[in-house]
Amino acid sequence: MCVFEETDSLAKKWGQVIQLPLANSSERLQVSDVAASLSLEYWESVRLLLRDDLLPSAVVLHRAQFEAITRSLWLAYAASDTQVSKLTVHLSFESEQAAKNMPQVMKMMESLEKSGPHEAFSALARFKDNSWKALNSYAHAGVHPISRHRDGYPTELLQDVLRNANGLALISCMHAVVLSGQQTLQRDLLQIAAEYPECMPPPL
């Protein structure tokens, strides 16, 4: 069974690998890196909420974690220069309005399928296929959170959310080393994950 202390150890080791400068200072890499960092912050928040048995709140942030790493990959591989620029300008009412028509998850996934890295897209697609309906239910106070909040949260469900959050975090870390130009470090990240099999989603 995956425990929080083991995930903390996993997170620390991954964090040591990804503390790297970006490969260049382009706006595309910078904004993609910010989105990946945001996804990792959501991951940490998910873990903190699960520790306190706050499952519905954790799952809402778990959805945000997924959306942030999807956005990060889309910005790196599929967004146009104009779309990138809309997310790099100073925040103002005008820039907020200009960014209103940015593509949401479905459109980003369609673009990533065509131009993103195959393994990252496949992992995100599997997660979305298995979890998206439940994530939406939690985000909108649907039947999933209503039922769980009333009846309680099975330990197995908390464990599954933790493992899935760790799986998304691995995608974020793998992308972070790509943004640094040191793709070979992906092997190190995978090796660390292999040391904690009980903390990762089951292999297909």
Side-chain angles (χ1 to χ4, degrees):
M1 183 174 70
C2 179
V3 296
F4 293 108
E5 289 75 14
E6 290 170 334
T7 292
D8 290 343
S9 176
L10 172 69
K12 182 177 180 180
K13 291 180 180 180
W14 278 346
Q16 292 170 343
V17 174
I18 66 173
Q19 294 301 313
L20 299 163
L22 294 176
N24 62 61
S25 59
S26 70
E27 285 188 337
R28 184 177 296 275
L29 259 64
Q30 289 186 52
V31 71
S32 179
D33 182 59
V34 170
S37 177
L38 186 60
S39 183
L40 291 172
E41 179 179 315
Y42 288 141
W43 174 45
E44 183 176 359
S45 298
V46 167
R47 289 153 45 206
L48 290 171
L49 289 166
L50 289 175
R51 284 180 190 271
D52 289 335
D53 290 330
L54 299 174
L55 179 71
S57 299
V59 175
V60 171
L61 282 178
H62 187 31
R63 170 180 159 159
Q65 179 193 7
F66 166 72
E67 293 196 56
I69 185 54
T70 301
R71 180 77 70 191
S72 177
L73 286 160
W74 174 79
L75 285 164
Y77 295 104
S80 68
D81 290 342
T82 299
Q83 289 169 324
V84 168
S85 68
K86 288 181 179 181
L87 293 178
T88 56
V89 297
H90 178 72
L91 182 60
S92 66
F93 176 77
E94 290 75 17
S95 62
E96 179 186 18
Q97 294 299 111
K100 274 189 172 181
N101 61 348
M102 297 294 282
Q104 299 303 306
V105 166
M106 304 304 179
K107 290 295 184 182
M108 289 191 292
M109 291 291 290
E110 290 175 5
S111 298
L112 284 172
E113 185 175 15
K114 298 174 184 176
S115 58
H118 174 72
E119 290 186 0
F121 168 77
S122 295
L124 290 176
R126 287 194 301 270
F127 176 85
K128 178 179 166 295
D129 289 344
N130 293 326
S131 304
W132 191 241
K133 289 183 179 179
L135 294 180
N136 285 335
S137 181
Y138 277 96
H140 301 295
V143 65
H144 283 263
I146 293 292
S147 176
R148 295 303 187 189
H149 200 64
R150 180 189 64 225
D151 300 334
Y153 313 121
T155 300
E156 182 179 353
L157 180 58
L158 271 73
Q159 291 288 316
D160 287 345
V161 173
L162 180 59
R163 291 189 187 97
N164 286 336
N166 294 345
L168 289 181
L170 176 58
I171 299 173
S172 297
C173 291
M174 297 276 276
H175 184 51
V177 297
V178 170
L179 294 176
S180 76
Q182 300 192 47
Q183 287 89 331
T184 57
L185 290 176
Q186 288 185 329
R187 291 196 296 267
D188 295 346
L189 295 169
L190 290 171
Q191 179 57 47
I192 293 168
E195 296 172 7
Y196 299 87
E198 69 283 358
C199 291
M200 300 303 296
L204 295 178

